[in-house]
């Protein structure tokens, strides 16, 4: 199901438009949902948990859209099947019983949706429940109170369940809420930022989990817990000032990290901001962030022929998914529809949609070890980053976290095999091989420091190959400087941003060797600024389905060279811009003077000087 033909604009501007889009998605689900069942199957692929849990997961995730619709006063006849499923799933005597939970159980995750429903709808959610059915529901959900689970955003699931109990008039446990909040306080970093548990990443889980759930709690329990509510709101407001830089003017967001198959959830934070009435940006700006994002997504081929959300990102792509992604997992995207709990008369819906406010060209985010760079009018956003790594080592962890740069327009590619450079996800990476066609790049960083004008990292490809990397934004260009100390003879390959396969040029520019690819989705360039070692330009074509943004083969402009044992300095300038966006043709100038790196952007009146 495509909600638009080709790339033409989708209106999607009013509450009724947004409600209709959600109902279209729910209607497709309803066709896969037999009456009298406690779950439904959306496909034959598997997650690390069983098919029975995957069936209840898909059902529960639909509730992130259904409950806000009901809270907003809309009649939704199909919701009766879901309420019946809840009764069956929580009844130990039913054949559809969802079962008792164990440690680290996926069913604990899905309980949060039902906690939200109880919290939003209060006792009306239970209007059709008998006393026994209420007891069943409470007993089943209450398993989460003392459950053993990852020390991460999962703690919020227990909080939402207890909040739902309280607001629906069921027995609730204040101490369980306190205990979970206290655990999460240990990984608050400051300035609105958390990590997703001790030593864990700072990715979209900070926006679509910590702040999303925190603002729901602050809004629905603010009177009873005013101090914590004020704290949660203040932290979310601080976070918003950074997070807005993840959005491009056309609605795209910079893809980074795991769980990207949740798609629209990338801006669920802004829906929580609207729901909470948080005074960060005007309702019109927040409305624009959400609606442009939805319009962009609904132009992508993300639904199958039955109208079901697929696994993948901008198209169906199992190769990029994590092992906890079942066929129903993508429906966490429906968290963005929390705004439908707000009535038509609310200031959010009455506001005129506004574009992005004027933003600085660069935003340094020290807690996330990122620098976000906006082109003119924010048509393109790219992120320079270092130091993050998902310790669980999910599929393609390096591609999702450890590249030098990520782009709102060009995303990134994933590794498709272990042998050969064409499979090795070389975009926005420096890869090294010992002559055996197996390539290694940056994974764990031994040191990271974030500065106002650059990010530094130190990492080791082997125990005797050490790399110091400086990432330096220069308007639409960014400069990468690598000092490599190697005891081995190595082959090096460094890639720019990946675009759709297209003809390329290897002609020098301003006397510098490099590669320029002009594709239907934009232009990507990399030029060698190395002071000592001349590298050879090339263009690599990857297998199809390598990019998370497009299914076609990708073209990656590259620089290649051999490194003999010793110390080498590799420097390059990289730029990519979407189609019809102006390029900055003049190359930055690089110099290494004693213990200083000096980068001079062509259109600046000053240089960037880094002491090393």
């Amino acid at each position: 199901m495509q909600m638009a033909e080709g790339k033409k604009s989708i209106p999607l501007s009013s509450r009724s438009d947004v409600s209709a889009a959600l109902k279209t998605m729910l209607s497709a689900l309803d066709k896969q949902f037999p009456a009298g069942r406690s779950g439904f199957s959306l496909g034959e692929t598997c997650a690390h948990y069983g098919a029975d849990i995957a069936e209840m997961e898909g059902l529960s995730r639909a509730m992130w859209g259904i409950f806000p619709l009901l809270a907003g006063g809309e009649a939704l006849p199909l919701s009766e099947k879901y309420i019946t499923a809840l009764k069956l799933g929580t009844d130990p005597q039913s054949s559809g019983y969802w079962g008792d939970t164990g440690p680290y159980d996926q069913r604990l995750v899905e309980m949060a949706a039902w906690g939200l429903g109880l919290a939003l709808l209060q006792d009306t959610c239970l209007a059709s429940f008998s006393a026994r059915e209420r007891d069943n529901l409470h007993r089943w959900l209450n398993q989460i109170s003392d459950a053993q689970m990852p020390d991460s955003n999962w703690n919020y699931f227990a909080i939402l369940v207890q909040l739902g109990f309280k607001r629906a008039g069921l027995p609730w446990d204040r101490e369980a809420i306190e205990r979970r909040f206290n655990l999460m306080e240990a990984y608050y970093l400051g300035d609105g930022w958390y990590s997703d548990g001790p030593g864990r990443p700072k990715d979209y889980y900070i926006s679509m989990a910590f702040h999303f759930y925190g603002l729901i709690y602050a809004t629905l329990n603010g009177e009873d817990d005013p101090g914590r509510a004020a704290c949660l709101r203040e932290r979310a407001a601080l976070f918003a000032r950074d997070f807005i830089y993840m959005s491009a003017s056309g609605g795209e967001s910079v893809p980074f990290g795991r769980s990207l198959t949740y798609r629209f959830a990338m801006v669920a934070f802004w829906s929580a901001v609207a729901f909470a009435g948080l005074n960060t940006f005007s309702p019109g700006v927040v409305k624009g962030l959400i609606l442009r994002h939805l319009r962009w997504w609904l132009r992508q081929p993300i639904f199958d022929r039955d109208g079901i959300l697929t696994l993948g990102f901008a198209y169906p792509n199992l190769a990029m998914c994590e092992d906890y992604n079942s066929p129903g997992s993508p429906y966490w995207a429906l968290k963005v529809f929390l705004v439908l709990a707000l009535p038509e008369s609310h200031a959010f819906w009455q506001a005129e949609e506004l574009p992005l406010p004027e933003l600085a060209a660069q935003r340094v985010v020290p807690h996330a070890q990122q620098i976000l760079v906006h082109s003119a009018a924010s048509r393109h956003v790219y992120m320079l980053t270092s130091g993050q790594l998902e310790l669980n080592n999910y599929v393609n962890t390096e591609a999702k976290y450890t590249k030098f740069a990520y782009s709102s327009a060009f995303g990134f590619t994933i590794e498709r095999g272990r042998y050969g450079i064409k499979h090795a996800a070389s975009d926005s990476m420096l890869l090294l091989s010992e002559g055996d066609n197996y390539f290694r790049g940056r994974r764990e960083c031994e040191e990271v420091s974030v500065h106002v004008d650059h990010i530094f990292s130190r990492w080791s490809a082997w125990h005797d190959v050490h790399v110091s990397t400086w990432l330096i934004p220069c308007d639409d260009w960014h400069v990468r400087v690598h000092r490599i100390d190697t005891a081995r003879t190595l082959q090096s390959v460094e890639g720019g941003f990946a675009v759709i396969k297209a003809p390329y040029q290897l002609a020098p520019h301003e006397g510098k060797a490099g590669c320029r690819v002009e594709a239907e989705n934009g232009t990507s360039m990399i030029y060698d600024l190395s002071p000592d070692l001349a590298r050879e330009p090339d263009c690599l074509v990857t297998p199809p389905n390598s990019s998370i943004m497009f299914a076609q083969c990708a073209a990656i402009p590259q620089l290649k060279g051999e490194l003999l044992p010793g110390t080498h300095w590799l420097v390059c300038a990289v730029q990519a811009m979407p189609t019809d966006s102006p390029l900055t043709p003049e190359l930055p100038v690089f110099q290494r003077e004693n213990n200083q790196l000096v980068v001079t952007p062509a259109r600046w009146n000053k240089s960037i000087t880094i002491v090393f």
Side-chain angles (χ1 to χ4, degrees), residues 313-333:
F313 188 63
Y315 66 95
N317 186 353
L318 277 175
M320 62 154 290
C321 291
E322 287 82 27
D323 54 7
Y324 53 82
N325 292 159
S326 81
S329 295
Y331 282 90
W332 235 357

Side-chain angles (χ1 to χ4, degrees), residues 36-49:
R37 294 278 302 277
S38 62
F40 49 77
S41 174
L42 294 177
E44 299 304 322
T45 60
C46 289
H48 66 73
Y49 40 88

Side-chain angles (χ1 to χ4, degrees), residues 369-372 382-386 404-405 455 471-473 478:
Q369 298 149 310
Q370 297 167 352
I371 298 177
L372 289 153
Y382 72 86
M383 172 207 292
L384 301 179
T385 188
S386 297
F404 303 132
I455 300 178
L471 304 175
I472 308 161
H478 70 271

Side-chain angles (χ1 to χ4, degrees), residues 512-548:
K512 304 298 184 182
C515 180
R516 174 182 175 132
V517 186
E518 296 187 14
E520 65 181 82
N521 64 329
T523 299
S524 180
M525 303 179 285
I526 186 169
Y527 289 95
D528 191 22
L529 306 182
S530 301
D532 306 317
L533 177 72
R535 289 187 281 177
E536 176 188 352
D538 197 5
C539 183
L540 176 79
V541 175
T542 73
N545 308 307
S546 299
S547 170
I548 68 164

Side-chain angles (χ1 to χ4, degrees), residues 7 13 32 41 49 93 139 143 159 189-190 193 205 283-284 295 341 419 429 454 460 491 495 509 520 541 601:
K7 299 289 183 182
S13 57
Q32 311 299 321
S41 174
Y49 40 88
Q93 305 305 314
R139 187 205 66 82
Q143 294 178 92
I159 291 169
L189 304 174
W193 281 88
Y205 277 88
R295 290 187 199 112
Y419 184 80
M429 285 287 276
H454 72 279
S460 298
Q491 290 70 52
H509 180 55
E520 65 181 82
V541 175

Side-chain angles (χ1 to χ4, degrees), residues 5 16 35 43 59 127 135 191 216 291 352 360 367 380 399 410 468 524 601:
E5 297 177 6
S16 59
L59 182 143
D135 289 344
D191 301 315
I216 290 173
L291 296 188
E352 176 186 358
H367 294 295
H380 180 225
F410 308 108
S468 296
S524 180

Side-chain angles (χ1 to χ4, degrees), residues 149-160 176-190 193-198 205-206 209-211 213-214 217 228 232 235:
M149 61 177 70
D151 190 13
S152 68
N153 74 90
W154 281 44
N155 287 299
Y156 258 119
F157 306 147
I159 291 169
L160 285 181
I177 292 177
E178 292 293 328
R179 186 167 60 253
R180 297 295 178 178
F181 271 119
N182 288 339
L183 285 168
M184 291 188 290
E185 194 63 24
Y187 32 90
Y188 180 65
L189 304 174
W193 281 88
Y194 295 82
S195 60
D196 189 16
Y205 277 88
I206 312 310
F210 286 93
H211 288 299
Y213 304 135
Y217 180 88
R228 177 171 284 124
L232 293 171
R235 290 178 179 181

